[in-house]
Amino acid sequence: MKPLNQYIDHTLLKATATILDIKNLCNEAKKHEFYSVCVNSCYVSLAKEYLNNSSIKICSVIGFPLGAMSTLSKVKEAKQALNDGADEIDMVINIGFLKSKDFDSVWKDIEAVKNIMPNNILKVILETCYLDELEIIKASELAIQSGADYIKTSTGFGTEGATLNDIKLMKSVINNGNTKIKASGGIQDLKTAMEYINLGVNRLGTSSGIAIITGNSSNSNY
């Protein structure tokens, strides 16, 4: 097992996040040596400036948090985030298309983003709280088929975050040995974090990273 802090994408995605909040996020990430910071795309360039000369990655969410944007808008947002310095992209699937069983549109949406970033990490957010078990399995299959490097549980803005059952379902689909899993939403303490890591999760998206590595607990929803 790698050091616990290296599982954590130190995250701040709330609508009220200020410039000062993002600067503080980056300083915390440097102090605790988290794997990355995860921010909305408008703050990628700021994070890049503050994390310059550090090993900490910058992750930008795309099509967030609903996933209902056009494919073209997701591609353009991803391109801009990458140009601004993002190392990784976390995009939300089109949940409505999935529930409509328009599977071609779902995978084409993901593939279009992956095609512009073949050398960067793409994590695909399924938003599992809105899906039944068969839909979680299907969404995972479509994301993997479309080139996702990670499948991710949640935005943290839905009705529920990650669950152990979600992770088990997602893991059951992975048979290529390459796709990894990111759990996010509601991971607030060390015990919960370790439960996911022990299930094989490779990354944790959380705003409670400091509480997790210090053995405390947090009231944050993300």
Side-chain angles (χ1 to χ4, degrees), residues 18-31 37 39 43-58 84-85:
T18 66
I19 291 171
L20 179 59
D21 291 333
I22 299 301
K23 292 177 181 178
N24 289 337
L25 183 83
C26 293
N27 287 331
E28 290 169 352
K30 286 190 284 189
K31 178 180 178 180
V37 296
V39 297
Y43 283 131
V44 169
S45 57
L46 177 64
K48 181 70 173 179
E49 176 186 348
Y50 266 73
L51 293 172
N52 195 30
N53 298 321
S54 83
S55 62
I56 298 164
K57 304 295 185 184
I58 299 169
D84 287 344

Side-chain angles (χ1 to χ4, degrees), residues 10-158:
H10 194 39
T11 301
L12 181 56
L13 298 169
K14 62 184 181 181
T16 55
T18 66
I19 291 171
L20 179 59
D21 291 333
I22 299 301
K23 292 177 181 178
N24 289 337
L25 183 83
C26 293
N27 287 331
E28 290 169 352
K30 286 190 284 189
K31 178 180 178 180
H32 298 283
E33 298 183 329
F34 292 129
Y35 185 84
S36 79
V37 296
C38 187
V39 297
N40 283 297
S41 59
C42 69
Y43 283 131
V44 169
S45 57
L46 177 64
K48 181 70 173 179
E49 176 186 348
Y50 266 73
L51 293 172
N52 195 30
N53 298 321
S54 83
S55 62
I56 298 164
K57 304 295 185 184
I58 299 169
C59 172
S60 175
V61 291
I62 295 298
F64 194 88
L66 302 179
M69 302 73 179
S70 69
T71 297
L72 180 60
S73 68
K74 289 180 181 178
V75 168
K76 287 188 174 182
E77 186 180 13
K79 281 183 178 178
Q80 187 62 55
L82 293 166
N83 287 338
D84 287 344
D87 301 291
E88 302 183 349
I89 297 294
D90 287 22
M91 71 168 286
V92 187
I93 67 164
N94 192 304
I95 301 161
F97 285 168
L98 180 74
K99 285 190 163 290
S100 301
K101 294 183 169 52
D102 185 359
F103 301 138
D104 281 357
S105 292
V106 175
W107 72 256
K108 287 177 182 176
D109 187 56
I110 301 167
E111 188 178 68
V113 175
K114 183 58 183 176
N115 281 345
I116 66 158
M117 46 179 292
N119 300 315
N120 296 84
I121 296 294
L122 175 64
K123 308 187 203 86
V124 175
I125 305 172
L126 310 184
E127 197 67 300
T128 50
C129 64
Y130 297 134
L131 309 180
D132 62 31
E133 291 191 350
L134 287 177
E135 288 170 335
I136 291 172
I137 290 169
K138 187 62 178 179
S140 299
E141 290 173 344
L142 291 167
I144 294 168
Q145 169 190 333
S146 306
D149 299 285
Y150 282 74
I151 44 179
K152 176 180 170 181
T153 57
S154 318
T155 64
F157 288 79

Side-chain angles (χ1 to χ4, degrees), residues 150-175:
Y150 282 74
I151 44 179
K152 176 180 170 181
T153 57
S154 318
T155 64
F157 288 79
T159 56
E160 189 178 22
T163 71
L164 296 175
N165 189 57
D166 293 341
I167 299 300
K168 291 174 183 176
L169 289 170
M170 293 160 69
K171 189 176 179 181
S172 73
V173 178
I174 297 173
N175 54 22

Side-chain angles (χ1 to χ4, degrees), residues 151-205:
I151 44 179
K152 176 180 170 181
T153 57
S154 318
T155 64
F157 288 79
T159 56
E160 189 178 22
T163 71
L164 296 175
N165 189 57
D166 293 341
I167 299 300
K168 291 174 183 176
L169 289 170
M170 293 160 69
K171 189 176 179 181
S172 73
V173 178
I174 297 173
N175 54 22
N176 59 12
N178 298 318
T179 311
K180 298 179 175 66
I181 296 176
K182 177 177 174 179
S184 59
I187 304 170
Q188 301 170 341
D189 54 52
L190 175 61
K191 177 179 179 292
T192 306
M194 291 307 302
E195 285 176 335
Y196 288 120
I197 290 171
N198 289 335
L199 270 180
V201 164
N202 301 93
R203 203 84 66 83
L204 303 171

Side-chain angles (χ1 to χ4, degrees), residues 207-219:
S207 58
S208 303
I210 296 172
I212 289 168
I213 65 170
T214 56
N216 296 312
S217 60
S218 165
N219 294 322

